[in-house]
Amino acid sequence: MSTEEEKLLKDAKKLPWDDRLLHKNWKVRSDANIDLAALCDSIMDPKDPRFRDFGPLFKKTVADSNAAVQEKALDALIAFLKAADADVGRYAKEVCDSLVSKCLTGRTKTVEKAQFAFMLWVELEATDVFLEAMEKAIKLKVSKAVVQAVDIMFHALSEFGSKIVPPKKILKMLPLLFDHQDQAVRASSKGLTLELCRWIGKDPVKSILFEKMRDTMKKELEAELGNVTGVAKPSRKIRSEQDKELEQEAATEIAGSGICEDSAVDDPPEIDEYDLVDPVDILSPLEKSGFWEGVKATKWSERRDAVAELNKAASTKKIAPGDFSEVFRILKKLITDVNIAVAIEAIQAIGNLARGLRNHFSGGSRFLLAVLLEKLKEKKPTVTDALTQTLQTIYKSGCLTLIDALEDIKGAVKNKVPLVRSSTLNWITFCIEASNKATVLKLHKDFVPICMECLNDGTPDVRDASFAVLTSIAKMVGMRPLERSIEKLDDVRKKKLSDMIGSTSQSDSVPVLGSTSSANVSVNG
């Protein structure tokens, strides 16, 4: 280095950071990045106010036209991200956009350092910004950059897991990658898809993506899905979790005891396919389909076809919430339609609405429940099956609780038709068996008296169904909630209940609403 260059670099060190980092001389810029990296490495406080001064600079430095300087800028960015905390996430968008546009087509070292920087942004919980940047990256014209973006997402998901890196956004990107003209992009997208399967399961991935794939890609993935085994676990933690772990270790050392390695490892979260898809508006298409005219038609076939349109639309995985009040009123009327085909379509549509709207269907489910329970008087298997599925779906989808349904249930178990009474009780059994212990502990005080009263019913199926409810409660929370009530039973009923509790500990059968319960022997009151 000449004396003149040495003097230039020495004088440049007196300049403000932005003047040095954007200097016209590349050696000054390189030297500035080296100094900035060293300074960031030396800062011990992640909330040091200087980080706020440095943050806005990286947008331009990582886009340096000189490849050697660009690599030094990436070194400085990495040192900055290692030393700072999540507060610097405010600079993530601009910096990530520059990384995407200027670094993914660079030299091998440049790409590696850019990938490392992206992982640090995820570590600092700027995941949403990271994925937005990847959405832009996969639309770049240079295939090499697209492959690198897919590879970066693969590593982010593999290292941090689906709890930190939301699968939903990646799932939305994959169809575009499946149709990419470059074979390397398609191959890398296949690898990312298989990694998704490790985290969220094969079925959700197949359900959401396979309909958007070419047949060739489907066959290739199907062949490799069998190799996806084991439970995926993250190998890397976000910074806040790392800090908590250090605090716990320090506290443990003070207490003088060892730390269990497994205690810091969380189980991978359960993935709900519902959370992975976007909601679909089904109300607007109904206006154009002639639904409102069709459901009021005098011909039963026209009514059936209109409801079938609703049923088909509601079968989507996730329905956008809206004002369904008029739809609910129409369905309430059609449940009791004189034509069975129309009634079945209406009942099935209610089940699909419950599945697609979930808690947004809570008002609708309460509005329709009494009519659905009343409809249980129908003996035709096709109607019974539709009612069974819909009532079970309403509960499984979280549309209402048994406490929400209490008044309607009280009315149904006193219905003059025995099949309504027994089927309602069978539905209660299903709901209890689908609930957790805490839920059952809250509701048993309301439902045990109902069942005790039904044990005196003149119809054997009703008594058997009541025994089944009591059995499911005992199985879930133990006998204590039933003790006072059981004292009032005669010896025959006590023995029957005891036998049923014993048998259900060996078999976990769920009753069908329109059938008799698991006990075949009736006890006369």
Side-chain angles (χ1 to χ4, degrees):
M1 185 182 293
S2 67
T3 307
E4 188 176 330
E5 284 181 335
E6 288 179 359
K7 184 177 183 303
L8 176 66
L9 293 177
K10 185 178 179 181
D11 290 342
K13 288 183 184 290
K14 301 173 185 177
L15 296 172
W17 280 109
D18 52 347
D19 289 344
R20 291 183 66 192
L21 292 165
L22 302 176
H23 199 279
K24 64 182 180 180
N25 186 292
W26 73 268
K27 290 185 178 179
V28 172
R29 299 199 303 275
S30 178
D31 189 56
N33 278 300
I34 293 170
D35 287 349
L36 181 57
L39 177 57
C40 288
D41 282 336
S42 70
I43 298 175
M44 304 306 293
D45 180 7
K47 294 193 178 294
D48 191 296
R50 285 175 289 184
F51 288 134
R52 292 197 174 191
D53 298 328
F54 302 153
L57 302 174
F58 292 105
K59 174 188 175 182
K60 293 182 179 179
T61 61
V62 298
D64 200 292
S65 58
N66 184 293
V69 177
Q70 186 181 38
E71 285 190 20
K72 296 300 180 185
L74 287 167
D75 289 337
L77 173 62
I78 288 167
F80 168 79
L81 294 173
K82 283 182 175 180
D85 64 11
D87 286 347
V88 300
R90 68 187 72 188
Y91 312 114
K93 186 181 185 305
E94 291 183 343
V95 178
C96 285
D97 284 348
S98 288
L99 290 172
V100 165
S101 61
K102 300 296 181 180
C103 297
L104 296 185
T105 55
R107 301 189 298 193
T108 302
K109 276 287 182 186
T110 303
V111 174
E112 288 176 359
K113 289 178 180 181
Q115 178 176 314
F116 196 88
F118 277 122
M119 294 302 102
L120 287 169
W121 281 119
V122 176
E123 189 175 293
L124 290 171
E125 301 178 58
T127 314
D128 288 342
V129 173
F130 159 70
L131 288 173
E132 286 171 9
M134 292 300 101
E135 282 186 274
K136 296 173 184 175
I138 65 168
K139 295 173 184 174
L140 293 173
K141 294 180 179 179
V142 182
S143 297
K144 177 187 174 183
V146 180
V147 171
Q148 297 298 344
V150 177
D151 188 50
I152 290 167
M153 285 191 281
F154 176 92
H155 283 287
L157 181 62
S158 175
E159 292 179 26
F160 291 99
S162 57
K163 183 178 178 182
I164 303 301
V165 182
K168 181 177 178 179
K169 287 192 175 180
I170 297 177
L171 283 165
K172 288 177 70 175
M173 293 185 228
L174 281 168
L176 182 66
L177 296 167
F178 294 150
D179 288 332
H180 202 280
Q181 61 185 7
D182 190 276
Q183 192 275 334
V185 173
R186 296 196 301 274
S188 59
S189 68
K190 184 170 68 176
L192 179 56
T193 304
L194 292 171
E195 183 63 19
L196 271 173
C197 290
R198 291 181 64 238
W199 287 98
I200 66 176
K202 302 171 191 176
D203 291 341
V205 172
K206 290 170 69 174
S207 172
I208 295 169
L209 289 181
F210 269 37
E211 63 185 29
K212 301 171 185 175
M213 286 183 189
R214 294 177 183 174
D215 290 340
T216 307
M217 177 74 85
K218 281 183 193 176
K219 289 176 183 176
E220 290 176 2
L221 272 174
E222 281 282 18
E224 295 193 38
L225 280 175
N227 299 322
V228 178
T229 56
V231 178
K233 287 191 175 182
S235 59
R236 187 167 171 180
K237 297 180 183 295
I238 55 175
R239 193 74 54 81
S240 59
E241 289 176 350
Q242 294 175 25
D243 294 341
K244 284 179 186 176
E245 205 169 74
L246 289 172
E247 290 172 8
Q248 289 171 355
E249 287 176 4
T252 304
E253 286 178 15
I254 294 170
S257 61
I259 184 168
C260 173
E261 291 183 8
D262 292 336
S263 64
V265 179
D266 293 328
D267 290 330
E270 287 188 17
I271 299 295
D272 186 348
E273 187 180 332
Y274 190 81
D275 297 328
L276 301 176
V277 294
D278 290 325
V280 176
D281 173 24
I282 69 168
L283 284 174
S284 299
L286 282 182
E287 296 287 347
K288 302 172 184 176
S289 68
F291 169 78
W292 300 108
E293 295 77 19
V295 292
K296 297 172 185 175
T298 53
K299 289 185 179 179
W300 70 269
S301 58
E302 291 181 14
R303 297 198 303 276
R304 179 203 58 196
D305 292 345
V307 186
E309 281 294 320
L310 170 63
N311 203 1
K312 181 180 177 182
S315 64
T316 188
K317 292 181 178 70
K318 189 173 187 178
I319 300 171
D323 184 3
F324 283 85
S325 54
E326 191 58 35
V327 174
F328 298 154
R329 279 192 284 272
I330 291 289
L331 289 173
K332 185 175 183 178
K333 182 179 179 181
L334 294 177
I335 292 170
T336 58
D337 196 283
V338 292
N339 185 279
I340 288 178
V342 176
I344 290 173
E345 285 286 354
I347 293 164
Q348 290 174 338
I350 292 167
N352 281 331
L353 286 169
R355 189 181 294 107
L357 286 168
R358 290 200 177 179
N359 61 328
H360 295 291
F361 189 65
S362 58
S365 61
R366 291 176 196 164
F367 178 70
L368 296 165
L369 182 60
V371 183
L372 290 169
L373 294 177
E374 171 72 23
K375 190 69 176 177
L376 289 168
K377 65 187 178 184
E378 292 285 348
K379 295 180 180 179
K380 291 182 175 61
T382 50
V383 179
T384 299
D385 290 345
L387 285 165
T388 298
Q389 292 300 320
T390 290
L391 285 166
Q392 290 182 356
T393 299
I394 285 172
Y395 188 79
K396 284 191 299 183
S397 301
C399 304
L400 51 65
T401 66
L402 281 176
I403 297 300
D404 294 332
L406 183 59
E407 293 306 314
D408 288 327
I409 288 170
K410 284 181 177 178
V413 296
K414 292 180 179 178
N415 191 286
K416 64 182 180 180
V417 180
L419 189 56
V420 173
R421 303 198 295 273
S422 62
S423 297
T424 299
L425 290 165
N426 282 340
W427 178 57
I428 297 170
T429 298
F430 168 84
C431 294
I432 289 171
E433 292 183 350
S435 302
N436 56 37
K437 184 176 180 179
T439 300
V440 179
L441 281 170
K442 290 178 183 177
L443 59 80
H444 78 268
K445 290 180 181 178
D446 292 302
F447 284 86
V448 170
I450 291 174
C451 295
M452 296 303 293
E453 187 175 342
C454 289
L455 289 179
N456 296 317
D457 195 286
T459 304
D461 285 352
V462 177
R463 296 197 297 272
D464 288 345
S466 185
F467 271 117
V469 177
L470 292 170
T471 302
S472 64
I473 292 173
K475 181 183 171 185
M476 187 70 70
V477 299
M479 288 298 294
R480 181 168 290 182
L482 303 177
E483 283 176 354
R484 287 188 180 179
S485 299
I486 289 175
E487 289 174 2
K488 302 172 186 176
L489 295 178
D490 58 42
D491 291 340
V492 179
R493 284 188 172 89
K494 283 180 184 176
K495 183 178 184 307
K496 175 169 180 175
L497 185 58
S498 177
D499 290 344
M500 287 183 67
I501 293 169
S503 66
T504 53
S505 65
Q506 300 169 11
S507 173
D508 291 325
S509 61
V510 177
V512 177
L513 296 185
S515 68
T516 57
S517 60
S518 59
N520 294 319
V521 181
S522 303
V523 179
N524 292 317

